[in-house]
Amino acid sequence: MRNCYNFNPIKDFKSCLYSRGLYENVSVAFDYLKFETGNEVYTENLPKNYIIAFLSGEHEVTGGSIGKHLFKSGDLVCLPRHSKISGITRNSGEIITISFDIPLSHCDQRIIHNYLTSQPMQRMKITTIPIRQAMKCFFDMMRYLIDNERVCLHLHKIKLDEFFILLRGFYKKSEVISFLGPAILGMSEFSIYIYSHYHTAANLQELIENSCYSRAVFYRKFKENFGTLTPQRWFNIQKRSQFLDVGSALEMTPKVMMHKLNLRSMSTMTRLCKDLFDCSPNALIKKLKY
């Protein structure tokens, strides 16, 4: 029996007041799935990186980047974007999947940078790590929230950050590197540049100029690596997310906001905020408080 699960990170999430009308695109998604013995899944091309937590049962997964592996209850694995995989459930069970682009907190960026600068760029075997007690509590909570439809785009984003905090806190650095390694190595130099520099660029033109590519080459490479979203659309989505994260902090002021966003001047921030939200930074801060 073939299961019709679609590895598509875009879900029909209910939006809380904070995320409604503010998050235009979802870059991370959690999903909770139950499989009966004999259920099958198949995909030619994973659209994002996928972390899979095997909560119960036994699931045999086959793919070019993973070979053939029998995952059991308590296994945690990260499958890189563009993987071709098929699977069959040997004993009925449950899994939670997390689709994401790349972890972008400062701590996670340092882990990625250290890996890229200290390890040879060669094919890396996909490695499982155990679901330790802290992670088990995390996935139990996610299962409860999804089961009771208490999720929104904002919560998914926060929970991804929490997942990586737990990953850094309860696993050795060598485990984190081997776990994320295949996803990191699957990134092109262009993707790494974009993810490493978009947050400090005041606008798309600055991002293009600092890339050392012509505008035409930049757009072509962007389409190859990021799909159908235009560079401007993608850049605006990321900047909106930055503004929302910073602006929602307690006792935030426009001046502090400017520094936290790494923008050079108040006029630059005001112009960007006007383009993204059609309001001033001060009005956005007030809007996010209520």
Side-chain angles (χ1 to χ4, degrees):
M1 175 181 174
R2 184 166 289 257
N3 188 291
C4 295
Y5 176 62
N6 180 22
F7 286 89
N8 182 355
I10 307 303
K11 308 292 181 183
D12 184 21
F13 298 129
K14 294 180 179 179
S15 293
C16 65
L17 182 61
Y18 177 76
S19 58
R20 188 182 304 132
L22 298 178
Y23 283 105
E24 297 182 33
N25 187 47
V26 58
S27 59
V28 56
F30 288 77
D31 208 356
Y32 168 53
L33 304 159
K34 297 178 181 180
F35 292 100
E36 298 298 328
T37 301
N39 283 170
E40 298 179 25
V41 295
Y42 176 81
T43 180
E44 283 278 354
N45 186 0
L46 283 180
K48 289 183 178 287
N49 298 309
Y50 267 79
I51 291 168
I52 303 179
F54 295 90
L55 306 182
S56 61
E58 292 184 336
H59 312 263
E60 186 178 284
V61 179
T62 303
S65 58
I66 197 173
K68 189 174 185 178
H69 192 93
L70 182 65
F71 293 99
K72 299 180 179 180
S73 175
D75 285 342
L76 193 60
V77 67
C78 181
L79 301 179
R81 183 198 304 261
H82 303 315
S83 292
K84 176 181 178 180
I85 64 168
S86 61
I88 183 169
T89 300
R90 295 302 182 189
N91 286 308
S92 60
E94 305 163 300
I95 68 172
I96 285 181
T97 64
I98 313 172
S99 60
F100 69 102
D101 287 316
I102 195 70
L104 286 175
S105 74
H106 294 306
C107 292
D108 296 321
Q109 285 186 50
R110 280 199 294 271
I111 290 174
I112 292 171
H113 180 266
N114 289 340
Y115 176 79
L116 292 173
T117 55
S118 64
Q119 301 292 326
M121 294 294 285
Q122 60 188 13
R123 190 176 183 85
M124 191 173 186
K125 185 179 180 181
I126 289 175
T127 304
T128 61
I129 56 176
I131 299 177
R132 296 192 174 127
Q133 184 59 37
M135 279 296 189
K136 183 179 182 303
C137 293
F138 171 82
F139 286 119
D140 284 345
M141 177 57 73
M142 285 308 304
R143 174 168 49 190
Y144 179 81
L145 291 171
I146 295 172
D147 251 356
N148 289 276
E149 299 183 348
R150 294 296 185 264
V151 290
C152 67
L153 302 184
H154 184 210
L155 180 63
H156 281 248
K157 185 176 183 299
I158 290 173
K159 284 299 183 180
L160 182 68
D161 292 339
E162 182 181 343
F163 172 85
F164 282 107
I165 289 172
L166 294 175
L167 189 65
R168 293 193 304 270
F170 292 92
Y171 295 83
K172 297 177 182 178
K173 183 178 178 181
S174 59
E175 291 178 304
V176 176
I177 288 175
S178 64
F179 180 70
L180 293 176
I184 296 169
L185 287 177
M187 297 176 66
S188 66
E189 290 185 9
F190 181 81
S191 295
I192 293 170
Y193 166 76
I194 296 295
Y195 282 119
S196 299
H197 294 88
Y198 81 84
H199 57 287
T200 58
N203 51 54
L204 178 62
Q205 184 58 36
E206 182 178 315
L207 189 65
I208 294 173
E209 290 174 355
N210 291 338
S211 73
C212 299
Y213 292 111
S214 69
R215 190 176 187 85
V217 172
F218 183 94
Y219 269 70
R220 176 172 58 78
K221 285 185 172 290
F222 193 93
K223 185 174 182 180
E224 291 171 356
N225 287 273
F226 292 87
T228 57
L229 276 181
T230 65
Q232 188 64 65
R233 174 71 167 167
W234 186 92
F235 183 83
N236 287 350
I237 288 170
Q238 311 311 315
K239 282 299 180 183
R240 283 176 67 93
S241 181
Q242 279 187 284
F243 268 85
L244 294 172
D245 286 343
V246 173
S248 60
L250 294 176
E251 300 182 3
M252 181 54 61
T253 65
K255 186 174 182 179
V256 173
M257 190 176 185
M258 180 189 73
H259 289 299
K260 286 187 174 293
L261 290 171
N262 295 310
L263 296 174
R264 299 185 187 89
S265 67
M266 189 66 70
S267 61
T268 298
M269 183 177 72
T270 300
R271 183 169 59 254
L272 190 55
C273 191
K274 180 70 174 177
D275 290 341
L276 296 174
F277 299 97
D278 196 28
C279 67
S280 67
N282 194 48
L284 178 63
I285 292 170
K286 289 181 179 178
K287 182 177 180 179
L288 293 173
K289 285 182 178 179
Y290 302 102

